[in-house]
Amino acid sequence: MADQAAAQVTQGALNAIFNDPDNLQRDFPVPVCQCVQIRPLAAQGAGSERYRVVLSDIKNFVQSMLATGANHVIHEGKLKKGSFVRLKSYQANAVKGKSILVVLDLEVIESLGVQDKIGEPQSLTIKGEEEDAKPNSTTLASNGFYGNKLPQAPAQDRALPSRAGPASSASHANIYPIEAISPYAHKWTIKARVTSKSEIRTWHKQSGEGKLFSVNLLDESGEIKATGFNDQCDMLYDTFQEGSVYYISSPCRVQLAKKQFTNLPNDYELTFERDTLVEKAEDQENVPQVRFNFTNIGDLQTVEKDTTIDVIGVLKDVGEVSQITSKTTSKPYDKRELTLVDDSGFSVRLTIWGKSAMAFDAQPESIVAFKGAKVSDFGGRSLSLLSSGSMALDPDISEAHRLKGWYDSQGRTNTFNSHSGMAGAAAAGGRQDPLKTVAQIKEENLGTAETADYFSLKATIVYIKQENVAYPACINEACNKKVTGMGDGTWRCEKCNQSHDRPEYRYIMQLNVNDHTGQIWLNCFDDVGRLVMGMSADQLMELRENDEPAMSLAFEDANCKTMIFKCRAKMESFQDQQRVRYQVVAASPLNYTTEAHKLAELIKLYSID
């Protein structure tokens, strides 16, 4: 079987992909390689899982990355170490002296089975790279992921061929897939469709004013968000039209995605620069229309409040258009409430706004897909379509066909549960979060999964950061957004578009707490800060201005308090780095009676007379 498999492998194909693209299609129209290693990549925040593999053509090996659209071969158990694959669509990149193959589509040749590594493949060398030193060995070792370390030679980023299909323009012969974009690739062009385009948003600060807009870009490999500020906003806003396809070429800044502002499953996002080139593609085909990442309606109770999701369902009920007036801006807003159901047996209320609410004319029992809906805990769980979101009526996708078949066969007569009355226990203070020590929090890696972890911690405050302990907030009810001093005695709130004579200070406190196993930093908002300090942030700021010794005494009094902290642990991005943030959602002083009973019960476990 091994000899038969070796005969199927297209030896020399990897070298042709990177070094002889002119003859690639003639000699190796569909390369066949062996997968000799597979490794999951560390997730970036809430990004989609990614896999890095090593492919061998017996002569050479190269590190590769699976596009998320190809992950199914691993999920289905087809792609394993030792499997053989046909590369149906791929993009070759040479970045920082490394050969990287992004695999967009592949077929596992299951008839060849799983074999030990065939031959002794050598690390692929790209022609034109300078070799400062010869490596000890470039043979793929059984215990090394990419073989021994390669020499670090200076190399230019190279745009290498794609097997995703011919380009429509000679000036864009080499198109990068969105999946291949990273801060390490500096010369690239993508061909992508604009799936959504935001309105222009403005801000006013003491240091100046500004504006921005963003677009979501989609190709066959994935999606990415791109933002234009100020001059780029003026230059590009009218250029981009929803639904159209564009060539976008670097220079264009690539940074870690701010997951609180996007629901796209990409670890990176783009910022347009002065010299970023944007051209409308003559060929508007061969690029997907929209890409969804659906959440089941029945699973909404496990989704955190304010998360942005995609959802598809059968339209059970369509409400009339109504109008509400914002308490903060006094502006009227049109809205329409829809009820969706799916085969999980649950229903959910989804609100659409503005022009979308007025123009909505879908009939009940239609299949509707929504992209970019925000999860609320109002009434248990409900959804609201964001201004950057979109909807598709009876989309021609497998999920829609499946739901239609289910509804026609049995769903029409079913009764559905709602999320009403099932509000998260954490919000109500009733969540029974497990009591952890500091050591357990770190040993169990709480907060590193895609969903947040909740726990309680009994600990003593040993230090409170006095810098930036509070921020000036808007005084309008339920706003709480930071306001900016304008230098004339007024404070401006961008969200409310109003100026105020004074702010209301709110705590954003950082505490260092200890227990008998270690120490940890916790972040606290205003309600917990008031409990810790015993006064409002306005009162503390007044002491800072008029009586610094009294302020220092207030911090001393707050130290050495032992409390029960209910916490939420979640991975976040900060200055392009990933870290776990421990946020206190509630705190309470020790109940000594309760604690004494717990200790008494603990002593009983030792059977001491």
Side-chain angles (χ1 to χ4, degrees), residues 28-256:
F28 306 102
V30 183
V32 175
C33 297
Q34 184 183 23
C35 173
V36 293
Q37 288 194 19
I38 304 174
R39 175 176 291 177
L41 291 173
Q44 298 285 334
S48 297
E49 59 183 344
R50 302 291 295 274
Y51 293 93
R52 187 162 284 174
V53 302
V54 175
L55 296 177
S56 163
D57 67 1
I58 300 179
K59 288 186 176 181
N60 297 106
F61 70 84
V62 66
Q63 57 174 298
S64 310
M65 181 181 294
L66 291 187
T68 54
N71 284 349
H72 63 91
V73 294
I74 292 180
H75 297 161
E76 295 167 3
K78 294 181 179 179
L79 183 62
K80 303 173 183 176
K81 181 179 177 180
S83 298
F84 296 85
V85 298
R86 291 189 183 94
L87 302 182
K88 299 168 68 176
S89 181
Y90 52 83
Q91 168 72 48
N93 297 323
V95 181
K96 302 293 185 184
K98 290 185 177 180
S99 312
I100 299 176
L101 189 68
V102 179
V103 180
L104 304 175
D105 191 16
L106 77 166
E107 176 189 352
V108 178
I109 310 175
E110 297 181 79
S111 62
L112 296 180
V114 174
Q115 307 292 332
D116 291 336
K117 181 184 65 177
I118 298 177
E120 293 295 333
Q122 304 295 303
S123 176
L124 180 68
T125 300
I126 300 176
K127 290 179 180 179
E129 289 183 0
E130 297 179 18
E131 297 185 6
D132 292 338
K134 210 168 186 178
N136 294 329
S137 171
T138 56
T139 301
L140 183 67
S142 60
N143 59 349
F145 188 57
Y146 303 122
N148 291 342
K149 187 175 181 181
L150 299 178
Q152 297 300 312
Q156 295 295 321
D157 298 341
R158 297 174 56 193
L160 293 167
S162 168
R163 174 149 167 68
S168 62
S169 169
S171 62
H172 300 292
N174 296 306
I175 304 298
Y176 264 52
I178 285 175
E179 286 274 6
I181 298 297
S182 77
Y184 310 107
H186 302 296
K187 295 179 180 179
W188 48 262
T189 297
I190 59 174
K191 181 183 180 183
R193 187 181 304 276
V194 176
T195 57
S196 71
K197 170 182 162 184
S198 73
E199 298 294 328
I200 293 177
R201 297 189 292 275
T202 61
W203 74 84
H204 303 268
K205 296 183 179 178
Q206 189 171 359
S207 57
E209 301 180 350
K211 53 188 170 182
L212 64 89
F213 84 103
S214 63
V215 291
N216 290 345
L217 303 171
L218 168 72
D219 71 4
E220 63 180 4
S221 72
E223 293 179 273
I224 196 166
K225 177 183 177 182
T227 303
F229 293 89
N230 299 326
D231 291 344
Q232 282 64 51
C233 181
D234 292 334
M235 181 171 63
L236 297 175
Y237 185 78
D238 291 333
T239 300
F240 284 112
Q241 300 297 324
E242 281 192 16
S244 296
V245 179
Y246 299 85
Y247 293 108
I248 301 168
S249 303
S250 59
C252 188
R253 187 154 61 93
V254 184
Q255 68 266 358
L256 281 174

Side-chain angles (χ1 to χ4, degrees), residues 354-593:
K355 295 178 181 178
S356 297
M358 298 295 292
F360 189 83
D361 60 356
Q363 297 300 310
E365 301 191 354
S366 301
I367 307 295
V368 191
F370 295 88
K371 185 173 185 62
K374 185 176 181 180
V375 178
S376 167
D377 60 3
F378 182 76
R381 279 295 185 269
S382 57
L383 301 173
S384 178
L385 187 65
L386 299 174
S387 58
S388 59
S390 60
M391 70 180 97
L393 179 62
D394 292 322
D396 186 15
I397 56 178
S398 60
E399 293 90 345
H401 300 316
R402 179 182 57 80
L403 272 181
K404 184 66 174 174
W406 160 80
Y407 190 77
D408 288 343
S409 63
Q410 63 184 85
R412 184 175 282 108
T413 59
N414 285 4
T415 57
F416 296 92
N417 299 313
S418 73
H419 292 283
S420 299
M422 298 175 62
R431 182 198 302 269
Q432 296 300 311
D433 302 318
L435 185 65
K436 300 288 185 181
T437 64
V438 170
Q440 288 174 324
I441 293 167
K442 296 179 178 180
E443 289 168 0
E444 296 174 16
N445 294 317
L446 298 183
T448 58
E450 289 193 8
T451 57
D453 292 313
Y454 291 87
F455 60 90
S456 293
L457 171 68
K458 181 172 71 173
T460 301
I461 300 170
V462 296
Y463 181 72
I464 303 173
K465 274 192 177 180
Q466 298 186 25
E467 302 83 14
N468 302 319
V469 72
Y471 73 96
C474 178
I475 62 176
N476 284 340
E477 184 180 358
C479 179
N480 300 337
K481 292 295 184 181
K482 185 177 180 179
V483 294
T484 305
M486 303 306 294
D488 59 359
T490 62
W491 299 77
R492 180 174 177 79
C493 176
E494 288 298 323
K495 178 184 177 183
C496 300
N497 195 26
Q498 292 180 356
S499 294
H500 306 289
D501 294 334
R502 61 173 181 84
E504 176 188 12
Y505 282 92
R506 297 179 63 84
Y507 286 113
I508 45 170
M509 186 177 290
Q510 287 184 292
L511 310 175
N512 189 267
V513 301
N514 284 23
D515 68 5
H516 64 287
T517 66
Q519 62 85 27
I520 196 170
W521 283 97
L522 303 178
N523 296 275
C524 310
F525 288 137
D526 193 61
D527 51 349
V528 177
R530 287 171 178 262
L531 184 63
V532 170
M533 297 301 300
M535 64 179 69
S536 69
D538 276 330
Q539 292 170 313
L540 185 65
M541 291 299 102
E542 187 175 347
L543 292 181
R544 172 169 284 179
E545 291 293 326
N546 303 315
D547 193 347
E548 286 198 6
M551 182 195 71
S552 298
L553 183 61
F555 279 106
E556 289 180 15
D557 290 342
N559 269 328
C560 298
K561 288 182 178 179
T562 300
M563 308 181 76
I564 302 293
F565 299 96
K566 289 190 174 183
C567 303
R568 169 184 178 270
K570 186 76 170 69
M571 187 73 76
E572 65 169 21
S573 298
F574 180 73
Q575 295 181 346
D576 289 347
Q577 292 186 352
Q578 297 289 310
R579 67 178 187 184
V580 178
R581 177 185 177 92
Y582 302 103
Q583 181 69 51
V584 181
V585 296
S588 59
L590 280 186
N591 183 320
Y592 289 99
T593 302

